[in-house]
């Protein structure tokens, strides 16, 4: 079984390739949806912290930490797909 970091990286590679084959509107839709997911998971993390817990320490909240890392990666990949594509379209010389 892969470590959580390796899973996130492996998925990001597949995700990047798939988004690269989609149109701009689809990439933008993905970015909005992924940002919403990330906001939700970060709020969950904050809820745990407000309850006096430390979600970044120990195994109790390991699943939350892994999902947060994945959501951050998903959002970053979509952000890059949207804005890197826009940069390429704005400057055909690149």
């Amino acid at each position: 079984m892969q470590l959580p970091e390796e899973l996130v990286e492996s998925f990001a590679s597949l995700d990047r390739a798939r988004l690269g084959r989609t149109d701009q509107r689809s990439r933008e839709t993905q970015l909005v949806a992924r940002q919403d997911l990330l906001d939700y998971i970060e709020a969950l993390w904050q809820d745990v912290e407000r309850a006096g817990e430390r979600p970044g320490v120990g195994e109790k909240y390991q699943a939350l930490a892994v999902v947060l890392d994945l959501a951050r990666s998903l959002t970053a990949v979509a952000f890059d797909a949207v804005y890197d594509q826009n940069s390429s379209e704005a400057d055909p010389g690149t």
Side-chain angles (χ1 to χ4, degrees), residues 2-77:
Q2 292 179 316
L3 296 173
E5 302 88 32
E6 292 171 338
L7 288 171
V8 170
E9 290 173 21
S10 293
F11 189 84
S13 177
L14 295 169
D15 191 28
R16 221 175 269 109
R18 174 74 172 101
L19 285 176
R21 294 188 306 268
T22 63
D23 61 48
Q24 184 65 19
R25 184 169 182 231
S26 296
R27 289 190 296 269
E28 290 170 357
T29 300
Q30 282 294 311
L31 178 56
V32 170
R34 292 166 186 216
Q35 185 63 55
D36 285 346
L37 175 65
L38 178 58
D39 291 345
Y40 176 81
I41 296 168
E42 286 178 339
L44 205 65
W45 184 276
Q46 292 168 2
D47 290 346
V48 170
E49 288 179 324
R50 276 192 293 276
E53 297 283 336
R54 296 185 326 174
V57 177
E59 293 185 21
K60 184 175 180 180
Y61 295 103
Q62 184 176 13
L64 178 58
V66 170
V67 173
L68 180 58
D69 286 345
L70 180 59
R72 286 177 175 160
S73 176
L74 287 167
T75 304
V77 168

